[in-house]
Amino acid sequence: MRVSFPTMGDYWVFTKAIFDKLASELVVPPPVSQRTLTLGVKYSPEGACLPFKITLGSMIEALELGADTIIMPGNYGPCRFGYYHRLQEEILRDLGYKFQMINESMGIRRMAASIFKGSRLSEFLPGLIFSLAKLKLLDELPHTLYRIRAIEQEVGSATRIYKDTLKPLDKAKSYRELRQVKKEYLKKLGSIPTRSSDGVVKVGITGEIYVVLEPFANMEIEIELGKLGVEVRRPISLWEFVSNFNPLVIAFGLGERRRCYRAARPYLSCHIGGDGWQSVGEKVLHAKDWHGMVHLEPFGCLPETVARNIMSKTKEELPVLNLIYDEHTGKAGVISRLEAFVDMIRRQKRKPAEGKRSNLTGGRAHGSLSRH
Ligand code: SF4
């Protein structure tokens, strides 16, 4: 069995670690690129949201590399994600690809049986725990990166170190090696010449999880904010998502997601699908410790559209820039909006009494199909 999955940011490191101990071979799709998007747009319904199009393109690229099985999360849900896999499967079959699709709608037992076929549980379980340790590290590494990126003298040095660290992280086979990777990474980041941190502003990123976590989809927003001297805060991560299934986190109501749910409760009486509830909660929760927030919303995404409209009405004040993404969004437009937003935050910081309440609805940054 040659298994693959649609790619999302740097999480291929985690997935590779899981498959290390499985009998099936893993086909890692190429990083998301303009080609991935073009393929996805070509074969998707026009009204589908951006994550649908990109993941479809990524599946096509995996099938081209010889994958015969695709894992795609999805089962039911109050947003379109619940039926993504059904539609994507039909589109791929119409295109002539022969493969099997694995997802939760098959039932957890059948799904597990398909993935673990021929693997030994005694090897897989320690492997799974080790892959979770890699996932946790993938969540931790960016935090220092965000801090240094905002004050580095040579733009791009911190990003280079981060990207160079992914290879040893992928190759690490023991906990000792993982600790070593982290130590080396922090040492290298610590040696970067930096400027004074005066004038650094803290901006949180929230919104729909795929667009938040896939740099191509969000046009490398973290890097662009770093160039503007912004220290990014991004509570959403795959580790954060997975930790929500930890019984201790559930029992004690811990975790960012649950904190957000509690914070957003005065404004929401029911789940609005996707990550909408969390988006509202992040604003309420971080109104005091962030200087601003960028809200990433795929065009036509109902949960985030609802969240955007509620966010502008909360009593907790925090400037929010809404950016709406689809395949027509141009990077130049996104950068201009970010520049104006950061400039506004800095002015507000200097004159805190002046026009504190602000919610900049970004609209769609129409432009060329290319993201450069
Ligand atoms: S949350 Fe929004 S963008 Fe994500 S799958 Fe649902 S509708 Fe699409």
Side-chain angles (χ1 to χ4, degrees):
M1 205 158 84
R2 303 196 76 216
V3 184
S4 195
F5 56 91
T7 195
M8 180 170 79
D10 301 321
Y11 291 113
W12 56 270
V13 175
F14 165 61
T15 325
K16 262 185 90 181
I18 297 181
F19 275 80
D20 252 7
K21 301 290 176 199
L22 290 181
S24 328
E25 187 189 336
L26 178 70
V27 177
V28 180
V32 177
S33 65
Q34 189 60 46
R35 181 175 186 267
T36 321
L37 177 65
T38 307
L39 281 169
V41 169
K42 189 171 173 187
Y43 299 114
S44 300
E46 194 196 348
C49 41
L50 190 62
F52 181 100
K53 293 173 182 169
I54 296 181
T55 50
L56 180 69
S58 184
M59 287 177 194
I60 294 176
E61 290 185 317
L63 292 166
E64 286 172 349
L65 289 175
D68 57 25
T69 304
I70 304 260
I71 300 178
M72 178 66 190
N75 186 0
Y76 63 90
C79 92
R80 290 181 265 190
F81 185 71
Y83 66 75
Y84 262 24
H85 62 95
R86 288 194 195 283
L87 200 49
Q88 286 172 328
E89 186 176 355
E90 271 187 40
I91 293 169
L92 294 171
R93 295 216 187 282
D94 286 348
L95 289 173
Y97 291 110
K98 306 250 178 304
F99 65 100
Q100 65 159 329
M101 185 82 108
I102 296 182
N103 56 64
E104 299 115 277
S105 65
M106 302 165 73
I108 294 290
R109 207 179 283 178
R110 260 187 70 207
M111 182 183 158
S114 314
I115 298 175
F116 305 139
K117 205 166 155 190
S119 313
R120 286 188 191 178
L121 196 65
S122 57
E123 281 184 9
F124 170 68
L125 273 183
L128 178 67
I129 295 169
F130 184 63
S131 64
L132 286 172
K134 281 197 181 184
L135 182 63
K136 186 163 189 302
L137 204 48
L138 275 170
D139 179 54
E140 285 171 12
L141 298 183
H143 295 302
T144 321
L145 171 70
Y146 297 149
R147 197 166 46 76
I148 304 293
R149 214 185 238 156
I151 50 171
E152 65 189 357
Q153 279 182 16
E154 190 200 330
V155 174
S157 353
T159 305
R160 250 190 323 274
I161 291 171
Y162 171 76
K163 287 191 174 159
D164 290 348
T165 302
L166 293 178
K167 221 180 206 171
L169 177 58
D170 173 39
K171 291 209 173 340
K173 297 280 179 233
S174 64
Y175 291 98
R176 195 183 62 80
E177 282 176 30
L178 282 188
R179 282 194 294 274
Q180 192 59 31
V181 168
K182 185 176 172 183
K183 200 170 150 195
E184 283 287 308
Y185 167 77
L186 292 177
K187 195 172 150 199
K188 283 183 191 163
L189 276 187
S191 66
I192 287 181
T194 51
R195 306 184 297 267
S196 145
S197 58
D198 290 352
V200 166
V201 290
K202 294 182 184 106
V203 172
I205 296 180
T206 191
E208 197 270 347
I209 189 165
Y210 189 86
V211 177
V212 169
L213 297 181
E214 172 48 59
F216 180 85
N218 62 41
M219 298 173 169
E220 301 190 311
I221 196 165
E222 294 180 2
I223 294 181
E224 295 305 328
L225 282 169
K227 284 183 195 165
L228 298 172
V230 169
E231 191 177 316
V232 167
R233 297 287 158 95
R234 171 178 54 79
I236 295 176
S237 71
L238 203 53
W239 171 254
E240 179 268 324
F241 180 78
V242 169
S243 352
N244 281 297
F245 299 100
N246 179 333
L248 285 178
V249 172
I250 297 171
F252 294 102
L254 305 172
E256 178 81 5
R257 200 158 288 243
R258 283 190 178 74
R259 274 197 295 273
C260 283
Y261 283 1
R262 284 195 292 270
R265 210 163 273 156
Y267 306 102
L268 280 165
S269 56
C270 64
H271 191 29
I272 51 172
D275 311 289
W277 194 312
Q278 185 164 4
S279 294
V280 176
E282 298 286 12
K283 183 190 173 192
V284 177
L285 204 58
H286 296 288
K288 291 221 158 46
D289 54 308
W290 292 350
H291 297 114
M293 186 172 98
V294 184
H295 172 236
L296 311 186
E297 174 186 338
F299 179 65
C301 167
L302 191 60
E304 297 303 334
T305 307
V306 175
R308 166 164 41 97
N309 285 291
I310 294 174
M311 257 183 230
S312 58
K313 294 176 180 67
T314 65
K315 70 174 176 1
E316 291 79 8
E317 293 181 355
L318 181 71
V320 178
L321 173 68
N322 298 100
L323 289 176
I324 303 179
Y325 290 88
D326 68 7
E327 64 270 27
H328 302 296
T329 307
K331 188 165 183 174
V334 169
I335 294 174
S336 306
R337 284 189 167 88
L338 292 177
E339 285 170 351
F341 183 61
V342 173
D343 198 41
M344 183 209 70
I345 292 175
R346 290 216 165 94
R347 272 187 286 120
Q348 270 194 0
K349 255 187 98 189
R350 283 196 293 268
K351 296 181 188 172
E354 236 179 63
K356 207 169 177 210
R357 192 178 188 99
S358 176
N359 201 63
L360 307 178
T361 28
R364 289 160 75 191
H366 287 290
S368 76
L369 271 173
S370 162
R371 315 198 144 209
H372 302 288

